[in-house]
Amino acid sequence: MSSDTPRFRHTPEAGALPPSLQERLQRQGISRRGFLKFCSALTSALALAPALMPQLAHALATARRPSVIWISFQECTGCTESITRSHFPTIEGLIFNQISLDYHHTLQAAAGHQAEAAREAAMQAFDGEYLLLVDGSIPYGDEGVYSTIAGISNLQMLQETVKGAAAVISIGTCAAYGGLPQANPNPTGARGVEELMQMGAIERKPLVNIPGCPPIPLVMTGVIAHYLAFATLPALDHLKRPKAFYGETIHDRCYRRTFYDQGKFAKTFDDQGARLGWCLYKLGCKGPTTYNACATLKWNDGTSFPIESGHGCIGCSEPKFWDAGSFYKSLSTPIAAKSVATAAVAAGAAIGIASALHSREQRNAARSQHQTVTIHDLEK
Ligand code: FSX
C-alpha cells in the first residue's frame, strides 16, 4: 500500500452513530460467515498478505461513512452505471452504500444550488479528509469553456475540489487518461486528472487510476473497501493502477489462450473457427496489450465478458485506445507466451471473489425464478 496516503477521518454525524457495515449486513440477512468468505476473497484479490484478512474484516465491519465527493465531467455516465449495476444485494454494493456520498450529479436527490451547497458543505466540514472520485475528462482548451457546471468550468470545479481532498480516485479511462473525449482531434483539449496534476494545473494529491470504459464494479468497490479498511490506497503500478487488478493482461487470463498457443484463430466472425471458440487475435482482439481483470472478474454479475461473447477486447482500459488503430485490425507483433502459472494464480484469486459470494448456476437459477438472493440464502 502507498505510504504517502494521508489517513482520513470518518464522517461524524449528529445524534446516534450511523450503522456500521456489520450492522447493515445483519439487517440484510447476510451471515457473519458469508462476510468472512467475502473478506478472504477480497484479501486475495487485492493481493494482500493472508495475515491481514482479520484486520480487513474487523476494519470493514466497523468502518463508518467517510465523506466522498464524486464529480463528473466529459463522460457518458457509463462509470456510474457500472458501479450501480448490481442485480442482487451484494457486499460490494453495501460497501458502496457505506460511504457518505455527499455529492454526485447523477445519484443525488438535490439539484442546482442545493447540490452545490452540499459539495461546498462537505468540502468545508471535511477539509483535507474527504475522498474525491472523478469520472470524465476535463476540457482544458480555450480556458475550459466547453463544459461548465453551476456556472464554473469543469477545470475550476476540479481545482477547488481537489484542494481539500485526502486522495483522488480517477474512475474510468476518461478521468484516468482522457478517454473518448480526448480522441483525435480532441476538440475540447480533454485531459485526464493525472496529466493536469503533472502540468501543475491542479494540486497534486495521492492518486489512483481505475481505467476501463467503464471500469469493473468490483475493482472500484475493491479500492474503496481497501480505503475503508486501512485508510490507505492499495499498491499501485507505474500508471497508478491497483496492481492486484491490472497486473496481468486480458490475454494472460483468457480462456481462449490455449487456441492462441495452438495457432488456431477465427478469421471472420462467422467462420468455423469462430463457431469453435478459437482465438480472436486476428479479428483485432487487443487482449494481449490490455491490462485489466475482465477475463476473471467478468461483467454483469460475473456472467461473461466481451471475448466470451464472441467479440475481441477493444483495449478500453489502455491510454489512447480510441486512436490506437481499428478495433478490428490485428496487432502486428505476435505476443510471446507468458507464464501460465502466473496467470493461473492471478485468475484463481479473482475467481475466488465470485465463488465466495455464490455460483453462477445459483444466480442464474435465482434469476429464472425472479428471486432475490443473499449469501445467507445460499448458505442454507
Ligand atoms: Fe468515460 Fe465514464 Fe467510458 Fe463512459 O464516467 S470511461 S466514456 S464508460 O462514463 O468516463
Side-chain angles (χ1 to χ4, degrees):
M1 64 187 74
S2 169
S3 57
D4 63 345
T5 307
R7 294 190 161 260
F8 71 95
R9 179 164 61 95
H10 294 122
T11 306
E13 297 186 7
L17 280 173
S20 67
L21 180 59
Q22 185 159 301
E23 289 157 353
R24 284 170 191 266
L25 290 171
Q26 280 165 356
R27 285 181 198 171
Q28 295 274 342
I30 294 175
S31 70
R32 174 80 181 151
R33 181 164 162 258
F35 174 62
L36 290 177
K37 280 166 71 181
F38 170 79
C39 290
S40 175
L42 187 62
T43 302
S44 177
L46 285 166
L48 300 172
L52 285 175
M53 198 285 271
Q55 191 183 335
L56 176 87
H58 176 74
L60 269 186
T62 54
R64 291 182 194 271
R65 299 176 68 78
S67 175
V68 174
I69 296 176
W70 181 320
I71 46 180
S72 303
F73 300 131
Q74 294 188 123
E75 42 83 34
C76 75
T77 315
C79 299
T80 293
E81 285 281 341
S82 179
I83 203 167
T84 57
R85 191 58 58 94
S86 181
H87 299 276
F88 296 98
T90 61
I91 296 177
E92 303 101 288
L94 288 171
I95 284 171
F96 186 56
N97 290 334
Q98 191 62 15
I99 60 177
S100 174
L101 194 55
D102 292 326
Y103 183 85
H104 188 300
H105 300 168
T106 311
L107 301 178
Q108 67 196 140
H113 295 303
Q114 281 182 331
E116 293 314 306
R119 180 175 64 91
E120 282 158 21
M123 286 166 54
Q124 204 172 8
F126 307 108
D127 187 28
E129 296 166 349
Y130 56 84
L131 191 58
L132 177 62
L133 272 53
V134 182
D135 68 336
S137 62
I138 300 91
Y140 191 76
D142 299 320
E143 299 179 0
V145 296
Y146 299 107
S147 178
T148 62
I149 298 166
I152 59 172
S153 72
N154 291 174
L155 180 62
Q156 285 173 299
M157 181 173 280
L158 182 60
Q159 283 168 333
E160 62 182 52
T161 313
V162 93
K163 267 186 197 156
V168 181
I169 302 178
S170 289
I171 302 277
T173 301
C174 299
Y177 310 133
L180 170 59
Q182 197 187 63
N184 186 38
N186 188 8
T188 67
R191 315 232 176 192
V193 172
E194 186 176 9
E195 191 179 356
L196 291 175
M197 284 187 186
Q198 289 166 343
M199 294 163 57
I202 59 173
E203 207 170 302
R204 279 182 188 263
K205 291 286 168 135
L207 175 71
V208 181
N209 285 327
I210 304 184
C213 189
I216 298 170
L218 184 64
V219 177
M220 293 186 266
T221 50
V223 171
I224 293 171
H226 189 287
Y227 202 70
L228 270 171
F230 301 113
T232 58
L233 303 176
L236 306 176
D237 70 6
H238 67 294
L239 292 179
K240 294 193 166 22
R241 302 172 295 194
K243 281 183 186 171
F245 297 109
Y246 296 89
E248 301 285 338
T249 66
I250 302 288
H251 183 62
D252 288 333
R253 308 180 187 188
C254 181
Y255 75 102
R256 296 191 192 221
R257 173 61 179 269
T258 317
F259 295 119
Y260 175 91
D261 292 338
Q262 292 172 359
K264 292 180 176 173
F265 300 100
K267 306 277 178 35
T268 69
F269 283 106
D270 60 355
D271 67 7
Q272 184 64 2
R275 280 189 278 277
L276 290 170
W278 289 359
C279 177
L280 302 170
Y281 179 88
K282 294 196 174 173
L283 290 171
C285 181
K286 304 299 183 292
T289 54
T290 302
Y291 288 80
N292 208 336
C294 303
T296 48
L297 296 181
K298 301 191 179 181
W299 289 85
N300 295 321
D301 214 17
T303 301
S304 184
F305 72 114
I307 293 171
E308 194 171 343
S309 303
H311 193 285
C313 165
I314 63 170
C316 78
S317 56
E318 290 298 312
K320 304 201 181 297
F321 79 100
W322 280 97
D323 294 328
S326 165
F327 293 155
Y328 301 101
K329 187 177 169 197
S330 67
L331 295 163
S332 52
T333 313
I335 307 297
K338 273 195 171 183
S339 160
V340 174
T342 308
V345 168
I351 288 167
I353 283 281
S355 59
L357 295 175
H358 36 73
S359 74
R360 190 192 305 177
E361 286 71 23
Q362 286 170 307
R363 287 195 301 269
N364 289 342
R367 276 194 193 102
S368 64
Q369 294 170 33
H370 306 287
Q371 290 176 333
T372 300
V373 171
T374 66
I375 290 171
H376 179 71
D377 295 324
L378 296 167
E379 285 185 347
K380 285 175 184 171

